[in-house]
Amino acid sequence: MSDEIPPKGILKSEALRQYILETSAYPREHELLKELRKVTEEKFGNLIEMVIPVDEGIFLSMLLKIINAKNTLELGVFTGYSLLTTALALPEDGRITAIDIDKEAYEVGLEFMKKAGVDHKINFIYCDGLEVLDKLVKDNQEFDFIFADADKPNYVNFLERFLKLVKVGGIIAFDNTLWFSFVVEEEDNVPEFMRESRAALIEFNKKLALDPRVEISQISVGDGLTLCRRLV
């Protein structure tokens, strides 16, 4: 099987996906986000599939405004499409703690954050996710919103830290929880390099569905976005 990442999206019809993007998403996409998407594809090729889809970005932007988020955490940045989306949505005094182990990719997007005048909102931490999360917990940090888009096999471990970091009533968003639709495919039909994450997400989805500490909604955007509202 190919090692290329398959396209995101779980709609049965590619024509319908394009209709959504061209009718509702692309016209609303910020110009600097469009430019960042283009540069990401030019520099990283097929890895553009690691970037959240445009319609998901627009959804997250609206969600952040609805909940009046001011202090957010993002785990998994890549070139920063979702990070720039968040920075544009937050108020002028908003703050984002962003964590990733790929500083080179982040610096590609940093240029666009500076152009947008939102780089002052961002504290980028170049480090392993669990290590930083444990330090944030120790320091009694609190966030209104957390976005996770990295290291799927560790989602279950991230959840425990996130529930200590997000405020009661705050939102945790886990991306890729339907994993390119592979959660319903037989393992033999899944590219080998994607099988570990598939298995981890299947178990994570089961665990999350029964967790009394959160209210959840799994949304059919991109390849699955699960929102968790902390209850206790």
Side-chain angles (χ1 to χ4, degrees):
M1 285 187 177
S2 170
D3 286 343
E4 283 203 350
I5 303 173
K8 286 183 182 175
I10 56 176
L11 295 173
K12 294 291 185 182
S13 166
E14 174 63 18
L16 181 56
R17 187 179 79 88
Q18 286 301 320
Y19 174 83
I20 293 170
L21 290 173
E22 292 171 8
T23 304
S24 303
Y26 291 153
R28 295 278 183 169
E29 184 182 24
H30 193 284
E31 285 301 317
L32 287 171
L33 286 169
K34 289 180 182 179
E35 290 181 32
L36 177 54
R37 212 163 30 88
K38 180 181 178 182
V39 168
T40 299
E41 186 166 19
E42 289 172 350
K43 184 173 179 61
F44 295 99
N46 176 247
L47 293 182
I48 184 67
E49 294 298 337
M50 292 172 59
V51 171
I52 62 169
V54 178
D55 53 338
E56 182 177 340
I58 289 172
F59 169 77
L60 288 174
S61 177
M62 181 179 287
L63 176 63
L64 288 162
K65 294 168 186 173
I66 289 170
I67 67 173
N68 294 313
K70 190 172 180 179
N71 191 24
T72 73
L73 173 65
E74 180 160 334
L75 180 55
V77 173
F78 190 40
T79 59
Y81 187 94
S82 55
L83 182 58
L84 178 53
T85 296
T86 300
L88 289 167
L90 294 187
E92 183 63 21
D93 60 346
R95 294 292 178 266
I96 312 164
T97 299
I99 307 165
D100 205 298
I101 57 172
D102 188 346
K103 190 174 183 180
E104 180 185 355
Y106 164 71
E107 288 177 346
V108 171
L110 181 57
E111 174 188 345
F112 296 91
M113 296 168 210
K114 289 178 177 178
K115 285 182 180 178
V118 296
D119 55 299
H120 66 281
K121 301 180 185 181
I122 299 162
N123 174 29
F124 178 76
I125 302 175
Y126 172 51
C127 193
D128 171 75
L130 285 174
E131 181 181 338
V132 178
L133 294 179
D134 286 338
K135 184 177 187 307
L136 292 172
V137 170
K138 185 178 179 181
D139 293 344
N140 295 313
Q141 296 292 309
E142 185 177 77
F143 299 92
D144 307 313
F145 177 85
I146 299 175
F147 182 67
D149 187 13
D151 193 6
K152 317 307 173 187
N154 258 321
Y155 268 16
V156 67
N157 296 315
F158 294 154
L159 175 64
E160 298 309 311
R161 277 78 168 177
F162 290 163
L163 286 171
K164 296 175 183 177
L165 291 168
V166 75
K167 69 181 184 182
V168 173
I171 301 292
I172 305 167
F174 287 97
D175 202 22
N176 311 118
T177 53
L178 297 177
W179 201 232
F180 301 86
S181 300
F182 288 140
V183 290
V184 294
E185 294 283 346
E186 294 297 327
E187 187 177 87
D188 289 346
N189 296 329
V190 179
E192 190 170 346
F193 75 102
M194 303 184 81
R195 290 178 184 177
E196 181 185 5
S197 292
R198 169 191 172 274
L201 287 167
I202 288 172
E203 291 307 310
F204 176 71
N205 288 337
K206 290 177 183 177
K207 175 181 172 62
L208 202 55
L210 300 175
D211 196 321
R213 299 170 296 178
V214 291
E215 177 182 8
I216 72 166
S217 176
Q218 191 169 41
I219 301 169
S220 303
V221 64
D223 62 333
L225 177 70
T226 300
L227 301 182
C228 311
R229 186 173 73 90
R230 181 183 168 189
L231 298 176
V232 293

